[in-house]
Amino acid sequence: MAYTFPSRHRTLALASAGALTVLGLLSACGTGSDTVSSPQKVPGAAAPATGDATNGDTPPGAASGASTPADDSAARPDGSSGSTGSAPSAHSSGTRAAPQGTSAGSTRCHTSELRATVGRNDPGAGQENFPLVLTNVSSRTCTVRGYPGAAFVDASGKQLGPDPKRSPGSPSTVTLQPHESAWAGLTFANPEVSEARAATPATLVVTPPDERDPLRVRWTAGPVPVGGNASSVYVTVLRPGTGP
């Protein structure tokens, strides 16, 4: 069978189609660096310098320990935080330090949270018996335990007689909700009966258990023994309530 050469018209058509195909491929692949799209900056102060923060690239400065904004959601289209630094964010929670001189778990009533009063006398057999009352005036629940300190002083602040002695007792923790009270007995022999040397105090100074700052109560119950025979004043442990 004889081979027939294609016509000149058909040959030119095929050559033109091939040339167009080559030009299309060259255009698609690019022939120079100025035909490649450059990365676009993301607007906003928290945006990375180049690229997209969601593509896994490390933002400039992160590898060198540079700080990142507390809330960098503007750098991520999905609004998630991209902070990887060790600095806490403004929204992170933390434990507030306990005030100086107190422990974080302390429930003890402090002097500033208490009010001291002296209840009505309940005399018997030549003995004077007063309830010394501590009331929680704070907005929190706190505790007292043991013996309060007490001292009688005159108008100039000078102590009258020795510190009261502690009556035997078993201390227990008394929990005071706001406005609740605990009381300790303050007892002494009537000076007229005991013939002890007496004086009339202006103030009873009361120090809550384990505290240094005192409370002051005006004393209006007359003379107390301050020296001589049967001059001792006693105080009992604190217990719930305002008196017997």
Side-chain angles (χ1 to χ4, degrees), residues 17-104:
L20 290 174
T21 301
V22 172
L23 289 175
L25 290 174
L26 290 175
S27 177
C29 295
T31 58
S33 59
D34 57 348
T35 62
V36 179
S37 298
S38 299
Q40 299 298 314
K41 287 188 178 181
V42 179
T50 59
D52 185 354
T54 61
N55 64 5
D57 294 336
T58 302
S64 62
S67 61
T68 57
D71 182 4
D72 63 349
S73 59
R76 293 178 175 262
D78 59 0
S80 61
S81 173
S83 175
T84 58
S86 59
S89 72
H91 303 292
S92 62
S93 60
T95 302
R96 191 180 296 272
Q100 186 175 4
T102 63
S103 62

Side-chain angles (χ1 to χ4, degrees), residues 120-130 167 185-194 225 230-236:
R120 187 174 58 183
N121 185 18
D122 183 21
Q127 192 83 4
E128 311 299 327
N129 304 294
F130 296 89
S167 296
L186 183 70
T187 66
F188 53 86
N190 188 309
E192 294 181 0
V193 175
S194 67
S231 62
S232 294
V233 179
Y234 292 86
V235 65
T236 68

Side-chain angles (χ1 to χ4, degrees), residues 121-223:
N121 185 18
D122 183 21
Q127 192 83 4
E128 311 299 327
N129 304 294
F130 296 89
L132 176 55
V133 182
L134 295 177
T135 301
N136 180 7
V137 294
S138 74
S139 59
R140 75 177 184 111
T141 298
C142 59
T143 61
V144 292
R145 178 184 176 89
Y147 297 85
F152 292 107
V153 299
D154 62 16
S156 66
K158 180 182 178 180
Q159 182 169 337
L160 301 173
D163 292 341
K165 296 180 179 180
R166 293 179 173 182
S167 296
S170 299
S172 60
T173 300
V174 181
T175 300
L176 301 179
Q177 295 183 8
H179 309 300
E180 290 187 338
S181 302
W183 71 282
L186 183 70
T187 66
F188 53 86
N190 188 309
E192 294 181 0
V193 175
S194 67
E195 297 182 352
R197 184 166 61 88
T200 300
T203 304
L204 174 64
V205 178
V206 181
T207 306
D210 301 314
E211 291 291 300
R212 294 180 180 273
D213 297 328
L215 299 165
R216 289 172 171 79
V217 184
R218 183 185 176 195
W219 182 260
T220 59

